[in-house]
Each structure stands twice: as C-alpha cells, then as structure tokens.
Amino acid sequence: MVHQIAERLYAVGVADPDRRTFHGHEMSTAQGTTYNAYLVVDDKETVLADTVYEPFTDRLLANIREVVDPASITTIVANHSEPDHTGALAAVKAAAPKARILCSKRGTESIRGWHHQDWPLQAVATGDTLDTGTMTLTFIMAAMCHWPDSMMVHVGSPDVLLSNDAFGQHYTAAMFDDEATDGRLWFETEKYFVNIISPYCRNVAARLDELEQIALPIRMIAPSHGAVWRKGAADVLAAYRRYAEQRTEPRAVVCYDTMYESTRLMAKAVCRGLDEAGVPHTMHHLPTSDRSDVLTDLFGARGFLIGSSVWHMNVLPTVATLLDDLRTLRFKNRLVGAFGSYGWQKRNVEIIETRAAEAGLEVPLPGVLCQWKPQAETLAACTALGRSFGEKVKAPS
Ligand code: FEO
C-alpha cells in the first residue's frame, strides 16, 4: 500500500508480516518486517530511495505505478546494498532505464559485488546535494549503521531523514510511530539495535555527532524497516544516543541451561539473593527462550548471572552461544557472575568466567559450583552470590 508521508514524498515499500527470522535464521522477527522505499516526486527529479527484498519486486513496482510511471524515475538512491534493500534494484533499473544510481563510495563496491551489472554508479559524500525542483536532498554517510556502505538522505522541507537501517525496527503493526498501540514499538527498536547495530556503538555515536554537526532540521525519520517516526524523531535520536553509549540500568538478568534441574535450582536460589538485594531481575531458560529477545533484555542490564551444567568438558551449547554473542555484540560495562552444577569435571564456571573476561566484561565475584545435586548449603551460597552481585549491580558504574 502506498502512503503519502509528506508533500511530494511517498512510502512505496512493502510489508512482509509472515517473516519469522531475519539475516537467514540469525534474528527472530515476531511480527515480520517491512522493506520501506520512498519516492520523491518533484518538478526536476523523480527519486526512488531504496528498493525491497527481491521476492517483493512486483509489489514495489505496482506501488510505484500508483504514483508515477517507473520510467519517469530519474535517480535511484541505494542507501545500503544489503539485499533486503537492493533486491529489486535490477528490476527497477530495467523499468527506469534513464535513472542513474547514487550510492556511497563503499556502495559502489558492494552493489557491484551483489549485482554484477555494468551500471554507472555515482558515489556521493556527506553534504552533497541533489536539487529535485522544489526540494533539496542532502546525502549523509552513515558507515556502520549498519555496513560500511550505509548512508542516509535528508529530504529538505519537509525535513524527513530517510535513514535506511538506522532507527528502524522489524515491526509491521503501524505505519507511523504515533499509530503504534501494541506497546512493542520501543522494544522492537531496541531489539533491532541490539541484534544488528550494537557491535558498532562507537561508530553510531560518531555518526550521531556528525548528524548534529550537519544541523539539518529533522521533523520525521523514515527508516527502511518498520514505522516512520512522525512524532518521535527526537525521541529515537535520544534513544540511539543512549544505546550507543551502552548505558545500563541497575538490574540483573539470570540466564541458564540445565541438564537434570540442578543448575535450575541454583538459578532460582541466585534470584532469591537478587530479591534480597532489592535488584530487579529477569530469568531466562536459554533453550526455551528467544535468543534475540534475551540479548535485548541483557543489553540494558548492568549485571548478568550465567549458569550452565557441564557438557562434554564445556558449557551447554546455548550458554556457549550466549557467551559468543556477548563477545560478538561487544557488550561493555557489564558485570558477570557464574554458577552451575557438574558431575565429573568442574569446567563450567571457569569457562563462563574466562569467556566473559575475554569479552571485556567484569567478573567481580567468584562463582558457585555444585557437584551433582545442590543441597541447602550450596543453595545458600547461590543466594549469597545473588545478594552480593545485586549490591555490585546497584553501585554506581
Ligand atoms: Fe536492512 Fe542492513 O539491511
């Protein structure tokens, strides 16, 4: 469906509400996603900013035809070459043979790599502009939000920032942020940041600085996934600043996996200690929890308590994955505590503590081990760990 989001500016992308995973099977998308593309129809130029994932090409072209003949498109802006945004590029270019393609310098490399076409690609840089007749488009490089090739376009008067991946969400319930009533928009916004952009927090902070220095008015932010920030543009900019600085709240997340319930009993005892310390907390049994949602919960928390049984001289696979994720996503400024039961080899706590430290996380307290099944003494030690860890979590970081 086509939405006019401002004078001469149309949203012509498509929704994919049935999609349940993204990046292959890497990230969960409970509500599916959208592939947003935007059409600027002005006196001198007709500009399409971004396309859609290739299976939705026909729907994109049909949406464009509701507004203009695709052959009238004079410029295609490819803000980011990932296939969810350039999947329909070849078909659009065929339907718009006169159109030039503008992208970042790095985009000239990746678009050729994905499409193997002899298109003349024109690189733009921050501050370059395109006069479309009554409006001016300004290009803003946005490297690592999400790839080195990422960039944004500011559509002057109506002052809409076409931000591509940044500020987006895998969210399909509303076209505009102020129409989102299911209470999930902000969770999905943070989940998107955590799972897709968080390894590049330092870059994001630098891009936000640059955006402030450019000082273009931003009335709306229209990302390439999810809702358009019609009312909350300033709010999502502030949220990205918070995320990029990895600010945390004084709360804890307990994550565990267990083979014969011993480590689950320990996890519950750890939670009792957090209760005694007055620290808000959540608990996730990793094999039955959504990995992307757990990471989102972890991102805003100051402390993580991680438990695992021993499995073939290692931690259980879900815990190994979590430890790998913490390193890959480059979480910083968090405390980690460890606990778990073992039978013959007490490797679990050592592995959790070592990998957490390797990920740059602080392990302020010794973990709790239990051979076989925990009895009162061990459970009391787990509660003491939760209590002491809770006190660390409450202390100013
Ligand atoms: Fe939505 Fe990085 O692509």
Side-chain angles (χ1 to χ4, degrees):
M1 190 191 292
V2 175
H3 293 262
Q4 184 166 7
I5 63 171
E7 192 176 353
R8 300 171 187 258
L9 179 57
Y10 300 84
V12 292
V14 300
D16 183 6
D18 298 327
R19 172 168 289 279
R20 288 294 169 267
T21 63
F22 198 79
H23 281 162
H25 294 272
E26 179 267 323
M27 178 184 177
S28 67
T29 51
Q31 295 196 338
T33 193
T34 70
Y35 313 107
N36 299 344
Y38 298 97
L39 193 64
V40 175
V41 182
D42 207 352
D43 296 345
K44 285 168 56 177
E45 294 263 2
T46 298
V47 180
L48 178 69
D50 293 321
T51 74
V52 300
Y53 190 35
E54 192 274 339
F56 298 87
T57 299
D58 290 347
R59 287 173 54 189
L60 170 68
L61 288 169
N63 286 348
I64 294 170
R65 281 191 198 99
E66 285 190 29
V67 185
V68 295
D69 178 353
S72 69
I73 295 172
T74 51
T75 300
I76 302 167
V77 177
N79 280 317
H80 171 37
S81 66
E82 197 166 3
D84 51 328
H85 305 297
T86 66
L89 187 55
V92 171
K93 184 73 178 82
K98 290 184 304 187
R100 61 186 160 175
I101 301 174
L102 305 185
C103 60
S104 66
K105 187 167 183 298
R106 300 304 301 269
T108 63
E109 302 166 30
S110 51
I111 290 173
R112 288 199 200 294
W114 281 111
H115 295 277
H116 301 284
Q117 298 272 356
D118 195 21
W119 296 321
L121 303 173
Q122 187 176 331
V124 290
T126 293
D128 287 352
T129 58
L130 176 67
D131 173 9
T132 62
T134 68
M135 295 185 284
T136 300
L137 306 193
T138 304
F139 302 97
I140 303 163
M141 299 303 104
M144 306 321 295
C145 304
H146 145 236
W147 276 2
D149 67 355
S150 297
M151 66 177 207
M152 307 179 186
V153 185
H154 179 272
V155 183
S157 296
D159 300 327
V160 179
L161 182 68
L162 309 181
S163 61
N164 195 261
D165 280 337
F167 314 113
Q169 335 87 35
H170 292 310
Y171 183 76
T172 57
M175 177 69 205
F176 295 98
D177 61 324
D178 52 292
E179 296 173 346
T181 56
D182 60 359
R184 287 191 63 88
L185 179 67
W186 281 104
F187 174 79
E188 294 295 345
T189 301
E190 186 167 5
K191 177 175 173 177
Y192 188 95
F193 183 92
V194 171
N195 286 274
I196 292 185
I197 299 180
S198 68
Y200 319 114
C201 280
R202 278 201 316 190
N203 304 75
V204 173
R207 300 295 88 78
L208 290 170
D209 290 344
E210 289 163 7
L211 205 51
E212 285 178 7
Q213 286 159 13
I214 293 165
L216 290 165
I218 297 174
R219 193 166 62 84
M220 283 195 270
I221 295 179
S224 288
H225 297 289
V228 172
W229 298 95
R230 182 165 62 182
K231 297 288 187 207
D235 295 335
V236 77
L237 283 164
Y240 260 55
R241 180 67 74 178
R242 265 196 324 276
Y243 302 156
E245 292 174 356
Q246 299 214 25
R247 288 185 218 161
T248 59
E249 301 159 354
R251 62 179 177 86
V253 181
V254 179
C255 295
Y256 74 98
D257 197 354
T258 187
M259 293 173 77
Y260 289 106
E261 300 298 314
S262 293
T263 301
R264 190 196 306 273
L265 292 171
M266 298 174 78
K268 289 180 175 176
V270 165
C271 288
R272 285 195 289 276
L274 290 167
D275 281 335
E276 289 173 11
V279 170
H281 56 88
T282 50
M283 182 166 76
H284 301 284
H285 175 232
L286 292 173
T288 54
S289 301
D290 182 298
R291 175 179 158 227
S292 309
D293 289 353
V294 170
L295 291 168
T296 307
D297 191 21
L298 287 162
F299 186 69
R302 171 77 169 133
F304 314 152
L305 284 150
I306 302 173
S308 178
S309 319
V310 173
W311 177 74
H312 298 312
M313 304 284 282
N314 200 346
V315 290
L316 284 162
T318 56
V319 177
T321 298
L322 172 65
L323 294 167
D324 204 34
D325 285 342
L326 295 178
R327 184 177 184 138
T328 300
L329 299 181
R330 300 184 202 170
F331 283 20
K332 295 281 181 270
N333 312 321
R334 271 70 164 202
L335 309 176
V336 172
F339 62 92
S341 77
Y342 68 97
W344 304 107
Q345 296 287 339
K346 48 179 162 183
R347 296 293 314 282
N348 41 354
V349 163
E350 174 196 338
I351 289 170
I352 293 167
E353 291 177 345
T354 301
R355 292 195 192 161
E358 287 171 355
L361 307 175
E362 184 184 349
V363 183
L365 296 167
V368 177
L369 273 166
C370 165
Q371 191 171 24
W372 314 121
K373 186 174 179 180
Q375 297 298 290
E377 187 180 339
T378 306
L379 294 176
C382 290
T383 299
L385 171 64
R387 192 167 51 240
S388 300
F389 192 85
E391 295 300 330
K392 300 270 183 200
V393 162
K394 287 195 294 188
S397 56

